[in-house]
Amino acid sequence: MSLRHAILGLLDLKPMTGYDLKKTFDDTARHFWAADRSQIYRTLGALHADGLLDEHVIRQRSRPDRHEYRLTEAGSAELDTWLRSPAPTELPREAFLARVYFAGRAEDPQLVRKLVDERRALLRRRLDELRALEAPTTTYPERLRAMTLRNGIVHHEAELSWLDELEEAL
């Protein structure tokens, strides 16, 4: 998946500004996709230049103008094409697991315990954040989005369980 398609998908839900997109990523999609503000704005510019988005400038008196983006017909078609295309195999990259994998060279069990403690704290924070997200389930699209949230929760819970196993193995 590319940020390009994630943005098209979110803008298919409703028109948004770059600021709104960042907030939406953080509030609804961070369990499967993260993006920083500069990546979002860069991608919005490219999508607009490619004719996949329309930009509507909303003038404001006491604040900078808002630039709200909407899908064009071409943007909607691009999103449909992506949705119907085969999903590529995405190989994971996980810095934490790489550190655990190579930590034996230090011959220092405390190093691994520190890594585990830091990871557990991070996962617990993220799990709390995910559990706090609102996930309406009235419509079919809402149920699908809620199930992606559930996937994020289950993955975090599974990794926390695995961390317990790792500690026992030490």
Side-chain angles (χ1 to χ4, degrees):
M1 180 172 144
S2 69
L3 178 58
R4 177 181 180 92
H5 293 106
I7 288 175
L8 289 174
L10 290 176
L11 290 175
D12 186 52
L13 300 175
K14 67 180 182 179
M16 289 185 245
T17 65
Y19 175 86
D20 297 332
L21 278 165
K22 174 62 176 150
K23 184 165 177 23
T24 301
F25 270 108
D26 291 348
D27 292 347
T28 65
R30 72 173 150 216
H31 55 284
F32 65 87
W33 199 267
D36 65 39
R37 190 169 297 161
S38 64
Q39 291 173 310
I40 291 170
Y41 283 101
R42 211 173 25 254
T43 305
L44 282 170
L47 290 167
H48 183 256
D50 291 345
L52 303 178
L53 299 179
D54 280 332
E55 179 181 12
H56 177 68
V57 178
I58 302 167
R59 304 275 180 225
Q60 301 187 107
R61 288 197 173 134
S62 61
R63 295 183 178 161
D65 294 341
R66 289 174 42 95
H67 296 256
E68 189 175 78
Y69 295 90
R70 292 177 170 82
L71 287 184
T72 61
E73 284 186 35
S76 184
E78 169 71 19
L79 182 58
D80 285 340
T81 298
W82 174 75
L83 284 171
R84 296 176 190 290
S85 67
T89 301
E90 296 176 356
L91 300 175
R93 294 182 183 152
E94 183 57 64
F96 169 73
L97 289 177
R99 287 180 178 192
V100 170
Y101 187 88
F102 295 113
R105 76 180 304 275
E107 297 286 337
D108 181 4
Q110 289 307 105
L111 170 63
V112 177
R113 288 189 200 291
K114 181 178 183 278
L115 290 171
V116 167
D117 289 345
E118 289 171 354
R119 184 65 170 200
R120 183 176 282 117
L122 173 68
L123 288 169
R124 285 182 177 152
R125 276 194 314 274
R126 287 184 177 168
L127 191 55
D128 288 344
E129 291 169 357
L130 291 177
R131 286 178 174 153
L133 292 176
E134 297 285 325
T137 57
T138 305
T139 67
Y140 179 69
E142 287 173 341
R143 285 192 300 276
L144 292 176
R145 290 191 290 272
M147 288 308 296
T148 66
L149 176 58
R150 179 72 184 132
N151 176 275
I153 290 169
V154 168
H155 278 266
H156 282 66
E157 290 171 341
E159 188 171 347
L160 282 167
S161 177
W162 176 82
L163 287 173
D164 292 341
E165 290 180 39
L166 175 58
E167 272 192 324
E168 287 175 21
L170 298 177

